Amino acid sequence: MNSKVVFITGATSGFGRATAHRFAEAGWSLVLTGRRSERLEALKASLGAKVPVHIATLDVRKNEAVLEVVANLPDAFREVTCLVNNAGLALAPEPAQKTDLNDWHTMIDTNITGLVNVTHALLPTLIETGKGASIINIGSVAGQWPYPGSHVYGASKAFVQQFSYNLRCDLIATGVRVTDIAPGMAETEFTLVRTKGNQAASDALYSTTTPLSAEDIAEQIFYVATLPAHININRLEIMPSRQAWAGFAVDRDN
């Protein structure tokens, strides 16, 4: 097998699934991980006729499981050229003072701990690949721009941004590139997960406007990963043209 290998976390839906399809179109071999085994099997069945596909059911929050998946990669999938750290989620859209602490911990454990678990496990491989290798971390505009109800989600995505920047400093002599891709409003399962299955809330968020699609972000991930080896995109913030920033909130006397 001579194709390059991309390792994608959270590949069972949204950006991760679309990214798997985009890299498969270009002939890359795929390592696809996620918590939903049946979806991974469906992806392998769909894409396996095009490119080599290795799947692994994985909860990135569990470091021992991450280490096991990386250690047990088949020989044909060991030379990873691109890591896409996509696994993540938002919960608890209500104000901070009304949230369940467990939801905060779940976001921290997934968006931060899971990110560093996978990155640390694959760093030796990516450094060995060297020039042209990429780590692409999926952040969010919420990591840069606060809004009501973002609390720990936004804070976790600010971590993604700073981790990406600082990791890039450490890897400067290795040839490994690091990018924080920060999407704005995109129509995926994001709001369904955040609202714990409230389809009406999801439909209301995306109705009467034109959000980004998962395929839009996948195209940018592929673009960053396939740039000439001497180019590093530090951060790529992507909003739909119909989304922008709001003014400052002001509390006034009645």
Side-chain angles (χ1 to χ4, degrees):
M1 185 180 67
N2 296 318
S3 62
K4 293 181 178 180
V5 178
V6 60
F7 189 113
I8 305 171
T9 67
T12 55
S13 66
F15 301 151
R17 184 177 185 277
T19 299
H21 280 269
R22 182 62 185 91
F23 277 80
E25 288 175 10
W28 286 55
S29 298
L30 309 176
V31 177
L32 306 179
T33 72
R35 291 186 298 164
R36 291 174 282 192
S37 301
E38 71 284 355
R39 291 199 179 189
L40 289 173
E41 293 288 354
L43 267 175
K44 184 173 183 177
S46 171
L47 300 177
K50 298 179 182 179
V51 295
V53 179
H54 174 70
I55 59 173
T57 303
L58 176 65
D59 184 342
V60 297
R61 297 173 295 181
K62 300 176 180 178
N63 190 48
E64 291 301 319
V66 170
L67 293 173
E68 182 178 354
V69 166
V70 172
N72 291 325
L73 287 174
D75 289 343
F77 295 89
R78 285 188 176 277
E79 295 181 10
V80 177
T81 296
C82 179
L83 166 61
V84 180
N85 276 314
N86 170 71
L89 79 168
L91 295 170
E94 62 270 11
Q97 62 271 29
K98 296 182 179 181
T99 61
D100 184 333
L101 181 60
N102 290 322
D103 288 339
W104 280 10
H105 282 300
T106 298
M107 286 186 280
I108 292 168
D109 291 344
T110 307
N111 300 353
I112 297 178
T113 303
L115 171 73
V116 299
N117 286 345
V118 177
T119 302
H120 193 269
L122 279 171
L123 269 178
T125 298
L126 291 160
I127 290 171
E128 185 175 346
T129 299
K131 188 175 180 182
S134 299
I135 299 170
I136 299 176
N137 297 324
I138 305 303
S140 170
V141 296
Q144 182 79 15
W145 311 107
Y147 62 87
S150 182
H151 40 77
V152 167
Y153 175 69
S156 71
K157 292 303 183 178
F159 175 89
V160 174
Q161 178 179 336
Q162 286 301 317
F163 179 64
S164 300
Y165 287 175
N166 286 282
L167 190 60
R168 173 135 158 65
C169 292
D170 290 340
L171 296 177
I172 188 169
T174 68
V176 179
R177 305 174 294 186
V178 186
T179 300
D180 170 31
I181 290 188
M185 179 187 287
E187 187 169 6
T188 64
E189 293 181 4
F190 176 87
T191 302
L192 274 178
V193 172
R194 191 172 200 186
T195 60
K196 299 183 178 178
N198 189 334
Q199 186 65 55
S202 180
D203 293 343
L205 178 64
Y206 303 120
S207 67
T208 68
T209 191
T210 310
L212 300 170
S213 69
E215 290 72 23
D216 292 332
I217 301 305
E219 190 63 38
Q220 299 310 308
I221 293 169
F222 182 76
Y223 165 73
V224 167
T226 55
L227 284 168
H230 69 285
I231 299 175
N232 191 105
I233 303 293
N234 296 326
R235 185 171 187 270
L236 187 56
E237 184 176 288
I238 311 162
M239 284 186 179
S241 59
R242 299 182 70 182
Q243 181 185 25
W245 308 276
F248 286 108
V250 179
D251 179 37
R252 300 184 185 278
D253 296 333
N254 293 328

